[in-house]
Amino acid sequence: MKRHLPALVSALLMTGTQSYLLGTAISTATVLIIHQPLSAQSTNDEYAQYHLSRSVTRRGAGDYQGAMSDLGIAIESGGNAIRSVAYMNRGDLKHQLGDSHGAISDYTQAMNLGNSGGVVHRRRGVAKAATGEYRLAIADYNIAVAILSPPRQSSPDLVIEVHILRGNAWGAIGANQEACEDYKKAVSYGDQDTLKWLTSGNGAW
């Protein structure tokens, strides 16, 4: 049994074999601004930052090949902080274009460079679920929940999304009780759409 997310949330996510464009939270790639004293590395970082920023513009205009090229240059020329953001953004773009395995690799590279927050684990979990690796996706969602849950995260929106995503992954492997617990947890954070679904004919347990 799968909980279908509200339209705003479902536009952000991809689960199972049914794909959704990652939407605003992911298609609006992260832009990193770095202030450093003038040096060879800062010059390289400025060059990398230019391409990282231009990749956002190109992606927004639908020039995915150009955006991919810019992200590659940012990865090759920037310091670790810029490279981490570029890897995550390239993972988003690869996932959007259907290369979820490539996205997983890029998200992992971003983590190796220090970007180990809940957001990147959520995104890698989404990509893993898209390849059918539901148990591996759940492992990433577990980390995302641990990082994003209050009091660390003031807004419940991301936590709600991860609980629904993890519930969907549990449901995909037949673990309905675990799925139900995640959906109920989403309700506890104020998700009224999930509450309505759980009490409907489609969501009743």
Side-chain angles (χ1 to χ4, degrees), residues 47-48 50-52 54-56 58-59 63-77 86 90 93-94 97:
Y47 178 70
Y50 166 77
H51 285 281
L52 180 61
R54 191 173 69 171
S55 73
V56 177
R58 284 181 160 180
R59 183 177 176 183
D63 180 9
Y64 301 130
Q65 183 176 354
M68 197 75 75
S69 175
D70 275 330
L71 289 168
I73 293 171
I75 288 169
E76 291 175 1
S77 58
R90 193 173 72 174
L93 181 53
K94 286 181 178 180
L97 297 176

Side-chain angles (χ1 to χ4, degrees), residues 164-180:
I164 293 174
L165 285 167
R166 192 171 66 178
N168 289 347
W170 282 124
I173 61 175
N176 286 343
Q177 184 59 45
E178 288 83 353
C180 184

Side-chain angles (χ1 to χ4, degrees), residues 69-110:
S69 175
D70 275 330
L71 289 168
I73 293 171
I75 288 169
E76 291 175 1
S77 58
N80 284 350
I82 289 180
R83 293 176 64 219
S84 174
V85 175
Y87 269 120
M88 187 161 72
N89 290 355
R90 193 173 72 174
D92 295 342
L93 181 53
K94 286 181 178 180
H95 186 50
Q96 179 182 342
L97 297 176
D99 181 14
S100 294
H101 288 288
I104 292 168
S105 177
D106 276 349
Y107 292 141
T108 301
Q109 289 287 357

